């Protein structure tokens, strides 16, 4: 993750802010050091009942406290801006890695990492950025305080000595060792009591993501759910997801409660602990009241720095959980290209402007998987520029495997596919994707809309029977919900007319549409010139109107038994 940050464009801004924060922290520590030294004359003035000195020391306090207030405000602003740039760098890096060609789809097929990537890209990235910033600044601040005040505490307690049963005891750095022991005990107990919190936090983020996905899926399919009278079923699924989340939160609540016994217990005890530790020396007359208060202040600063781990254990557990989720997610993305190809399937570029399929055999899973299925191409085939082909076959042959393989998404199989070397290629899956964008962007997706004149877009809409949408080219809508299924299919066809691909691969895009819509779309496709059409599926309208050449696929299965440990 450090390497990922180091290569982000925000690195220089974050480093500049880090140095600024370091300067502010150093100035703040110096102010706290002066405030600690102020304890001696102030409390000694109180002890002597010296009103004039008391008033003068109040003026000194106002100057020191005012400076510290200004430094705290500036540090808070720098904290927030640093967290903002940290999140910018992390979020942009993760999105760039996620949406590199084919990565997101391949990741979605990985069980644990592929579930709810939006949670890792959004909520986990936000938490990691903010927690990393706050914890790093807190740790640096605590370290500087420790270095600064441990010397002060050592010097004021260097000659501490007291008598017990007539014996004089002198321990160099007496208060320093007491602070180290006190904070060390608190840290050890916190780590023991809260050892399960990072794993519980990771579980919570995972279950929260599943709950959000369930609610989002229900929200997007309300019409189908209502028509099927399935509200009760969806209610049960949502309630089960809520129950799972609440169960994890309940275990977290118990863990945080146990941790509070340690953190709060040591916190309250620290009010009197330094006084009790220094009391033998004070009562022996070796320490003035002002010196006692200065010693107590220095002890609290050192102990506060040493107990940073205890005070922030809950945030550290949260940070560990988000770091684990984000780092494993990113590692899976960047190492995806290192996964060796399975089988003997070879994808190359054709020497000619054609598509060549040789000895092709594709599987849905690794070939040795139990109850596996796939397809076989009986003979070698060559599809040339301008050809119109329908690829169908036996009912059990999973034709979508061929569509995915031609798009470069095949994983298991053997044979050779030589893809066309030139010309724009467009793949049209059966389930359409219409981005939440302006109609102009949807119409030319994924190309740049500035390359196309509105007259050309309007002509394409009119050709497919959507001329009424011409006035809405600049309108941004959820077009997948705004348009009917037939109009969505027409809009996809308008995209073909505008972008003018040389190779058009269609995954049974006419299936399920009304007969008249199928005929209209097939008629428009038949008029396209210099476009190679490969229709993978079965459509009577496409067959009747476009008159394609047929290629049949054969079904293959394996009944290999699953191996047992």
């Amino acid at each position: 993750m450090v390497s990922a940050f180091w290569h982000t464009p925000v690195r220089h801004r974050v480093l500049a802010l880090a140095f600024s924060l370091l300067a502010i922290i150093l100035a703040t520590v110096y102010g706290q050091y002066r405030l600690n030294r102020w304890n001696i004359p102030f409390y000694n003035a109180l002890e002597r009942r010296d009103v004039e000195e008391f008033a003068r020391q109040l003026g000194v306090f106002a100057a020191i406290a005012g400076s510290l207030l200004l430094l705290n405000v500036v540090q808070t602003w720098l904290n927030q801006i640093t967290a903002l740039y940290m999140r910018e760098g992390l979020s942009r890096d993760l999105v760039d890695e996620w949406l590199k060609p084919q990565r997101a789809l391949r990741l979605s097929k990985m069980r644990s990492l592929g579930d709810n990537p939006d949670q890792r890209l959004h909520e986990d990235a936000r938490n990691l950025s903010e927690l990393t910033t706050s914890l790093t600044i807190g740790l640096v601040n605590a370290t500087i305080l420790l270095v600064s005040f441990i010397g002060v505490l050592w010097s004021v307690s260097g000659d501490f000595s007291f008598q017990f049963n007539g014996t004089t005891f002198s321990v160099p750095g007496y208060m320093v060792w007491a602070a180290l022991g006190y904070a060390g005990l608190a840290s050890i107990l916190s780590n023991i009591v809260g050892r399960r919190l990072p794993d519980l936090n990771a579980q919570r983020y995972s279950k929260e993501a599943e709950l959000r996905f369930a609610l989002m899926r229900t929200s997007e399919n309300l019409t189908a759910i209502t028509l099927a009278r399935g509200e009760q079923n969806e209610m049960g699924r949502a309630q089960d997801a809520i129950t799972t989340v609440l169960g994890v939160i309940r275990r977290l609540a118990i863990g945080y409660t146990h941790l509070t016994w340690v953190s709060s217990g040591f916190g309250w005890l620290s009010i009197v602990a330094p006084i009790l530790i220094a009391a033998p020396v004070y009562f022996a007359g070796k320490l003035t009241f002002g010196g006692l208060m200065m010693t107590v202040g220095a002890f609290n600063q050192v102990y506060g720095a040493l107990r940073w781990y205890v005070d922030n254990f809950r945030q550290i557990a949260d940070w560990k959980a988000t770091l684990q989720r984000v780092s494993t997610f990113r590692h899976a993305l960047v190492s995806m290209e290192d996964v060796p190809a399975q089988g003997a399937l070879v994808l190359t570029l054709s020497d000619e402007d054609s598509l060549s399929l040789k000895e092709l055999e594709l599987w849905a899973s690794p070939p040795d998987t139990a109850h596996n299925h796939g397809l076989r191409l009986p003979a070698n085939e060559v599809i040339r520029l301008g050809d119109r082909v329908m690829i169908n076959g036996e009912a059990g042959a999973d034709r979508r495997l061929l569509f995915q393989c031609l798009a470069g998404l095949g994983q298991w199989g053997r044979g050779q596919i030589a893809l066309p070397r030139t010309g724009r290629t467009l793949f049209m899956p059966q389930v359409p994707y219409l981005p939440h964008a302006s109609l102009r962007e949807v119409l030319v997706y994924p190309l740049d809309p500035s390359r196309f004149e509105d007259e050309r877009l309007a002509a394409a809409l009119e050709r497919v029977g959507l001329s009424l949408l011409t006035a809405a080219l600049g309108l941004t809508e959820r077009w997948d919900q705004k348009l009917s299924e037939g109009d969505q299919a027409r809009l996809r066809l308008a995209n073909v007319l505008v972008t003018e691909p040389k190779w058009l691969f269609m995954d049974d895009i006419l299936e399920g549409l009304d007969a008249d819509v199928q005929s209209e779309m097939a008629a428009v496709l038949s008029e396209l010139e210099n476009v190679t059409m490969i229709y993978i599926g079965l459509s009577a309208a496409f067959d009747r109107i476009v008159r394609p050449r047929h290629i049949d696929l054969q079904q293959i299965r394996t009944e290999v038994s699953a191996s047992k440990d």
Side-chain angles (χ1 to χ4, degrees):
M1 295 305 298
V2 171
S3 174
F5 162 75
W6 194 252
H7 291 90
T8 60
V10 301
R11 178 188 65 186
H12 298 295
R13 283 177 285 176
V14 172
L15 290 177
L17 287 169
F19 283 114
S20 301
L21 277 166
L22 182 60
I24 294 295
I25 292 172
L26 288 171
T28 302
V29 170
Y30 177 73
Q32 291 173 312
Y33 171 79
R34 291 295 303 271
L35 186 62
N36 182 258
R37 298 288 299 177
W38 168 84
N39 280 314
I40 294 179
F42 179 73
Y43 283 105
N44 284 342
L46 280 176
E47 189 177 27
R48 295 193 307 267
R49 294 177 173 83
D50 187 342
V51 177
E52 183 178 348
E53 180 66 12
F54 174 77
R56 194 177 76 82
Q57 291 302 322
L58 285 179
V60 174
F61 172 80
I64 297 174
S67 300
L68 287 172
L69 174 61
L70 178 61
L71 290 171
N72 288 339
V73 172
V74 174
Q75 181 176 335
T76 299
W77 183 80
L78 290 175
N79 289 359
Q80 298 300 315
I81 296 301
T82 303
L84 182 148
Y85 285 137
M86 286 285 289
R87 184 177 182 186
E88 177 185 352
L90 178 59
S91 297
R92 294 190 188 281
D93 172 76
L94 289 175
V95 170
D96 288 346
E97 295 293 343
W98 183 51
L99 289 179
K100 283 186 177 178
Q102 301 185 12
R103 276 190 180 178
L105 181 60
R106 293 172 64 184
L107 183 72
S108 67
K109 298 178 180 180
M110 300 172 64
R111 289 184 179 177
S112 57
L113 290 175
D115 291 340
N116 308 310
D118 56 292
Q119 170 80 12
R120 301 174 193 259
L121 291 165
H122 175 245
E123 194 66 18
D124 291 345
R126 180 187 67 81
N127 281 337
L128 183 59
S129 302
E130 294 177 356
L131 288 171
T132 299
T133 301
S134 62
L135 289 174
T136 300
I137 292 172
L139 180 59
V140 170
N141 187 61
T143 303
I144 294 174
L145 276 174
L146 178 62
V147 172
S148 302
F149 281 92
I150 200 168
V152 175
L153 188 59
W154 186 281
S155 64
V156 299
S157 64
D159 56 351
F160 272 17
S161 62
F162 56 91
Q163 291 186 342
F164 183 75
N165 289 337
T167 304
T168 301
F169 294 92
S170 179
V171 182
Y174 169 68
M175 296 295 290
V176 172
W177 300 115
L180 288 172
Y182 190 72
L185 179 60
S187 298
I188 292 172
L189 290 177
S190 295
N191 198 57
I192 293 173
V193 173
R195 63 188 181 279
R196 295 187 64 244
L197 290 179
D199 290 338
L200 287 174
N201 272 305
Q203 290 180 33
R204 177 183 179 179
Y205 290 134
S206 176
K207 300 308 177 184
E208 293 274 16
E210 292 175 8
L211 171 60
R212 187 176 65 250
F213 175 77
L215 296 176
M216 180 182 67
R217 182 170 176 80
T218 301
S219 176
E220 291 185 346
N221 295 276
L222 289 176
T223 301
I225 292 170
T226 303
L227 291 174
R229 304 296 189 267
E231 291 92 345
Q232 197 67 31
N233 302 67
E234 301 307 317
M235 182 191 302
R237 267 187 281 273
Q239 293 290 1
D240 289 343
I242 291 173
T243 300
T244 302
V245 170
L246 294 178
V248 177
I249 294 176
R250 185 175 290 107
R251 293 197 295 274
L252 270 172
I254 295 172
Y256 289 141
T257 302
H258 291 163
L259 184 64
T260 304
W261 282 105
V262 177
S263 59
S264 294
F266 276 86
W268 287 112
L269 186 59
S270 65
I271 296 176
V272 297
I275 298 176
L276 293 175
I277 295 170
V281 180
Y282 176 74
F283 287 117
K286 301 293 183 68
L287 194 64
T288 66
F289 183 63
L292 172 65
M293 297 312 296
M294 178 183 173
T295 302
V296 169
F299 179 93
N300 285 331
Q301 293 287 5
V302 171
Y303 171 65
L306 289 172
R307 64 167 278 147
W308 176 87
Y309 181 76
V310 177
D311 291 337
N312 294 277
F313 191 88
R314 177 171 178 172
Q315 288 81 359
I316 293 172
D318 201 4
W319 175 79
K320 285 181 179 178
T322 54
L323 177 63
Q324 179 187 9
R325 286 174 57 81
V326 172
S327 60
T328 53
F329 178 76
R330 190 181 187 279
H331 178 71
L333 289 173
V334 298
S335 61
M336 198 165 286
E337 277 72 16
D338 299 333
V339 178
Q342 301 189 46
L345 183 63
V346 179
L347 270 70
T348 62
L349 292 177
S350 173
D351 294 333
E352 302 177 2
D353 205 359
S354 62
L355 171 65
S356 174
L357 307 174
K358 297 181 179 179
E359 301 178 356
L360 194 61
E361 189 175 287
L362 303 176
W363 294 92
S365 304
D368 57 351
T369 304
H371 308 293
N372 199 1
H373 67 280
L375 59 85
R376 177 188 295 114
L377 190 66
N380 297 337
E381 297 286 349
V382 176
I383 301 174
R384 304 190 184 280
L385 186 64
D387 286 354
R388 300 177 177 189
V389 178
M390 176 180 285
I391 302 178
N392 193 25
E394 298 178 358
D398 189 351
R399 300 181 298 256
R400 190 159 290 116
L401 291 176
L402 177 60
F403 180 80
Q404 294 175 351
C405 189
L406 292 172
L409 304 179
Q411 291 183 281
W412 301 283
R414 64 184 181 185
Q416 180 177 335
I417 300 177
L419 299 171
R421 185 176 295 274
T422 61
R424 170 172 158 72
T425 301
L426 178 62
F427 288 88
M428 298 180 69
Q430 189 176 64
V431 179
Y433 169 68
L434 303 180
H436 183 203
S438 68
L439 184 62
R440 182 180 290 104
E441 294 176 73
V442 174
L443 198 51
V444 303
Y445 185 81
L447 304 181
D448 183 0
S450 63
R451 293 170 47 187
F452 302 90
E453 299 291 337
D454 284 356
E455 290 77 9
R456 181 174 174 181
L457 305 183
L461 288 174
E462 184 176 2
R463 180 65 190 86
V464 298
L466 296 176
S467 56
L468 293 177
L469 291 179
T470 303
L473 283 173
L475 191 62
T476 299
E477 291 278 3
R478 283 290 304 271
W479 298 107
D480 55 337
Q481 298 181 0
K482 191 80 172 178
L483 300 177
S484 66
E485 187 176 355
D487 284 347
Q488 290 184 46
R490 292 187 176 95
L491 188 60
R492 298 177 74 195
L493 185 56
N495 173 269
V496 175
L497 298 178
V498 172
T499 57
E500 296 181 337
K502 290 296 183 182
W503 294 82
L504 179 60
F505 294 86
M506 296 167 281
D507 180 19
D508 214 358
I509 62 171
L510 301 181
E511 183 181 8
L513 298 176
D514 293 339
D516 56 341
V517 176
Q518 293 190 38
S519 298
E520 291 173 18
M521 293 184 63
V524 174
L525 288 170
S526 68
E527 296 172 3
L528 296 180
E529 298 180 356
N530 300 321
V531 180
T532 308
M533 300 181 199
I534 297 96
Y535 190 97
I536 302 175
L538 180 62
S539 170
F542 187 87
D543 191 26
R544 184 181 71 255
I545 298 174
V546 180
R547 298 184 181 279
R549 173 165 65 92
H550 286 253
I551 296 177
D552 292 328
L553 302 172
Q554 294 179 349
Q555 174 190 10
I556 52 177
R557 287 186 177 275
T558 178
E559 298 298 333
V560 177
S561 300
S563 61
K564 297 182 180 180
D565 293 336

